[in-house]
Amino acid sequence: MNDETSETVSLVRVGPVLVATVDNPPVNALSHSVRVGLVAALQRFEEDVDCKALVIRCDGRTFFAGADIREFGQPVKEPRLGELIDRLDRCDKPVIAAMHGTALGGGLEIALACSYRIAALDARMGLPEVKLGLLPGSGGIVRLPRLIGVPDALTMIAEGGQIGAEAARDKGLVDEVVASDLRSAAIDFAQRLADVGAVRRTSDLPVPAFDEGLLDSKRAELAKRHKGLKAPQIAVDLIEMMTVTPFVEAAAKEYATCRELISSPQSKALRHLFAAERAALKLEDVPTDTKPRDVRKVGVVGPGVMGRGIAACFVDAGFPVILVGRSAESLTKAQAAIRKLYGGSIKRGSMTEAQLDERMTLLETTTSYDGLANVDLVVEAVTENLDVKTEVFARLSAVLKANAIIATNTSFLDIEALASAASRPENVAGMHFFNPANVMKLLENVRAVRTAPEVLATITAVGKKIGKVPVMVGRSEGFVANRMLSKRSREAQFLLEDGATPRQVDKVLSGFGFPIGPFALADLAGMDVMAAARNARIAGMTLREQSCNIVDKLAAAGRLGQKTGAGYYLYGEDRKPQDDPAVDQLLATHRAERGFSAREISDEEILERCLLAMVNEAAKILDEGAAARPGDIDVIWTSGFGWPSHLGGPMFWADQIGIANVKEALDRYSRIVGEEYFKPAALIERLASERRGFHD
Ligand code: 3H9
């Protein structure tokens, strides 16, 4: 019987049990209408003497995924989530939360304030607020440690991870795990309680004793792992606070901190990225109802470093893979190298040798293209040379089935030229992985003019399936990530010519939040690799860029980076970069030959030149249509090249500085470095004159 229904909450009586079912697709966020409906449900439950227990459950794919992120930054609409939760806590009849899917954030906070919690076997629970630069603000911090103890609560709150239903039961977060129909099990559970009316309040529980040294060690660990992020540190402070503060006072402090964090720049940046990552999945000119093609079996051509990593990505996600190489020897080598990729997991104990053997059964190797006749998708990862790739495309066209997709992993070659080399250009696109392919999250998918919409939808869906962050880009030399990176690299090199040291540049950029500076990174990649990459593109460079051959000079001196113990820096046993007077000398000679005199360069100039060169290039990319939205570029840089997430990505960062200030700085560097490098892009000129930002 459907007793009462609000916009998103319906009520049904089953004997003495009142069942409140929430339906607020897609993820049952705790939007205003849900809060109103749940308060009404509680009111009805409290007033009706015949209702002995209340079940709160959700329809659709998940229990509440948390507060409604879209409401953040808007005036708070009553009833607040905290009010609803207080009311649940005070209720003098038992309330049971029945969780399925992902019970997250404010959703889990609702469950924590109920008397009992039951969960479907595959349910997952977490307080992920920290990932949005926030912290639980509706009782998560004051209740969770009371239920599962401080150490586990600290991990869940400060790191934002999820735990499964059985682990949650073992820790005391969940009372019962249900393998059968959750709704019926919840009603049965409630009926049993209805007879005894047993109310339990998490707020009445004491905080279990714990080793206080844990707090400081966690602070140190989090500072290292989440450089520059404020919320994880504040999480530890709040947990320390709740252990010594009366419940009501601690809950008020928790809420006040959450409100403060909602308006903090870090949270705005992280929320921007949350939305941008999801927006990036919505493809321009591809209707949202476009059905991706079925991909069951995958081919990878080219067993080199990239091909091996790509094959591992697919195998990890359970796809059978055929790896095609030119010789049996190269394939045997590749197989051994792929096994080695899992060395770390075996050492850590997160994978057994038997599991690895099983995974490797998904990988088949062959020297014959005929083996690809029944694959649905082939990723081509052969040598970065148009002639070689053109030949591979022709051979693939001869064996593939009509709707098989060819995705090239090219970094710099022209996607249109490659599409023309296939007999069905509508099946051709790019899937640009980043090294190491099995680790790096970013996947630049590339559309060519003739790529079929369903192919674009397929490579996006497949990218998600293999755990990547896919972003669709268009034709452009170096696509988006590498094209922007090349401008940062150019400025880093020019800064050396102008008088900066590798150490100074690296320090400024890692101080900004990049995991590693460009010169330490070059030493890691190898100077021979850097020199080859530079020389492959030298024809398109300006005269100053062509003559700025510091990389070639280091390579010629045998300074290949970490692998030879010397590059921009010297490396000892500990692999820590040390300054080397020989590099100072090499740079001094280079400057003298090129007619530059070293000047004092400020950290501000280093940061602005490196980052604004990227922003200016990104503006050109946007105007050309090679990236669909500024947010896509932010996702590319935060998931691919270590741009600190709490600064939202380059376009978000530029907006925070203000486009008029960006333009003014570009004009200044046009005068100092040269117009051909820093003339503001047309889009920046337009936005500055209209007083708008990239994201407006
Ligand atoms: C919080 O609770 C604070 C409180 O402690 C205190 C307050 C005072 N709100 O990810 P998907 C949308 S903070 C609104 O593609 P999946 C999402 O934008 C919150 N919308 O699906 C997307 O929209 P669109 C703590 C939300 O299956 C659609 O749902 N909770 C929210 O891959 C589908 O999402 C979190 O941080 C939301 N809370 O993953 C959980 N969540 O279709 C954040 C999602 O227009 N959410 N949407 O692009 C997630 O982690 C994942 O979305 C989830 C589903 C695992 C739930």
Side-chain angles (χ1 to χ4, degrees), residues 9 129-130 148 156 163 176 205 230 288 316 328 374 446 467 502 531 540 542 563 579 589 657:
V9 183
E129 286 89 339
V130 74
I148 68 170
M156 280 182 77
I163 57 171
E176 198 170 293
L205 297 173
K230 293 195 174 133
T288 42
D316 284 345
N374 64 351
V446 189
T542 64
K563 59 187 168 193
D579 295 336
T589 310
I657 296 174

Side-chain angles (χ1 to χ4, degrees), residues 26-27 29 61 65-70 72 81 102 104-106 109 128-129 132 134-138 255 258 274 278 282 464:
V27 294
R61 66 202 223 211
D68 189 335
I69 298 169
R70 292 163 306 181
F72 291 165
L81 181 57
T102 40
L104 300 177
E109 290 178 300
E129 286 89 339
L132 298 173
L134 300 173
L135 289 171
S138 302
Y255 178 63
C258 177
F274 179 85
R278 280 149 187 85
K282 293 173 184 132
K464 261 204 105 179

Side-chain angles (χ1 to χ4, degrees), residues 195-217:
D195 301 335
V196 287
V199 170
R200 288 190 322 190
R201 287 193 179 84
T202 311
S203 54
D204 286 342
L205 297 173
V207 179
F210 69 103
D211 170 8
E212 287 182 23
L214 171 75
L215 298 171
D216 278 341
S217 58

